[in-house]
Amino acid sequence: MPFDKNYLQDRKQFVSQNKICSNFHSVQIGVPQGSVLGPLLLIYLFIDISDLLKSAPELNYILFADDTNIFSTDAELLSDQLNNVNDWCIANRLVINYDKTFQVIFKASTKSFNPLCHEINISNKALEQKPSTKFLGIELDSTITFKEHFKCLSKKLNINLMMMRALRQYVDQKTMIDIYYSFFYPHLIYGVDFWGHTADTNLREIKVIQKMH
């Protein structure tokens, strides 16, 4: 028997919660999480999922790992084409997780709109409208002001600042510099080419935290 079939065949799983275990059930589809061959099999998944773009070619896509982002400037077209995406998922034995599927309407801050006119449906299920979304570690709000991103960034920097203050009395200056570039600085520069043009009011708070270290 080929190794790949031997690896995936007759696998079973169960759920354990509060020391109570469910019965074993056979795994019909999917890849074991945390497995050595998981990353290799994920590459094959990328090859298969690239066919998704053909199901609704009028839409724009950004695919990263197992996340799919779909864009359109036409709400009616998007709602119609998403049904084709759903049909593709059903045909490929994939299930859309509606708890993690939502829409964000990006617009100019001065432009008003009626949310009901931009309602997006998949199989007669309306997608939740959210004011922001996280994309590759950066919070994107609907008007691209990066206010939500700076709230998250400030929280991360303050946590690292408290850690550095607690360690200051136990380590020398060189070690503190190493800690700064290992824990504080990466948060500070991540995506700066993207959000660096934000308003001065957002940058001011980050500069204050930076000087406090």
Side-chain angles (χ1 to χ4, degrees):
M1 180 182 292
F3 179 73
D4 58 339
K5 290 185 177 180
N6 185 51
Y7 176 74
L8 297 173
Q9 198 170 33
D10 298 325
R11 300 190 74 98
K12 298 182 183 297
Q13 66 181 14
F14 70 96
V15 177
S16 176
Q17 184 174 5
N18 297 328
K19 299 183 179 180
I20 299 177
C21 299
S22 68
N23 296 326
F24 280 89
H25 292 276
S26 297
V27 178
Q28 302 297 327
I29 58 175
V31 176
Q33 291 187 354
S35 58
V36 176
L37 286 181
L40 177 61
L41 294 172
L42 190 60
I43 294 175
Y44 288 102
L45 172 63
F46 294 158
I47 296 174
D48 290 337
I49 205 171
S50 62
D51 188 49
L52 168 66
L53 281 63
K54 299 178 182 179
S55 66
E58 296 183 61
L59 303 179
N60 298 306
Y61 301 81
I62 294 180
L63 305 179
F64 183 79
D66 57 349
D67 290 330
T68 300
N69 299 270
I70 302 177
F71 301 86
S72 178
T73 57
D74 188 327
E76 185 176 349
L77 172 67
L78 178 60
S79 190
D80 180 63
Q81 292 289 298
L82 283 179
N83 288 316
N84 294 337
V85 173
N86 185 55
D87 292 341
W88 181 92
C89 290
I90 294 174
N92 288 274
R93 304 180 70 180
L94 296 173
V95 179
I96 295 177
N97 187 340
Y98 289 97
D99 292 334
K100 295 182 178 180
T101 303
F102 54 89
Q103 64 167 317
V104 178
I105 300 174
F106 296 102
K107 64 179 185 64
S109 58
T110 56
K111 185 177 181 180
S112 60
F113 72 100
N114 183 356
L116 296 178
C117 295
H118 296 79
E119 187 174 273
I120 304 299
N121 297 275
I122 303 180
S123 297
N124 296 321
K125 295 181 180 178
L127 295 184
E128 178 186 2
Q129 292 186 7
K130 290 191 175 183
S132 65
T133 182
K134 179 175 285 188
F135 182 71
L136 298 181
I138 296 180
E139 285 285 342
L140 293 176
D141 56 276
S142 60
T143 54
I144 317 294
T145 61
F146 296 102
K147 287 183 179 179
E148 293 301 316
H149 177 70
F150 276 88
K151 288 180 182 178
C152 297
L153 179 59
S154 295
K155 185 180 297 184
K156 291 178 182 177
L157 293 179
N158 278 314
I159 290 174
N160 282 277
L161 182 62
M162 288 189 292
M163 177 195 71
M164 293 171 64
R165 285 177 171 175
L167 290 173
R168 184 175 297 169
Q169 57 181 318
Y170 301 106
V171 299
D172 56 25
Q173 185 178 13
K174 182 181 180 303
T175 303
M176 283 300 302
I177 293 175
D178 290 339
I179 293 173
Y180 167 80
Y181 281 107
S182 297
F183 294 96
F184 191 96
Y185 189 68
H187 291 299
L188 193 63
I189 64 170
Y190 180 75
V192 66
D193 292 340
F194 192 53
W195 52 256
H197 68 279
T198 189
D200 289 339
T201 52
N202 290 330
L203 294 173
R204 193 176 299 119
E205 182 178 357
I206 301 302
K207 291 178 180 178
V208 170
I209 299 174
Q210 159 74 358
K211 291 179 179 179
M212 291 172 63
H213 81 272

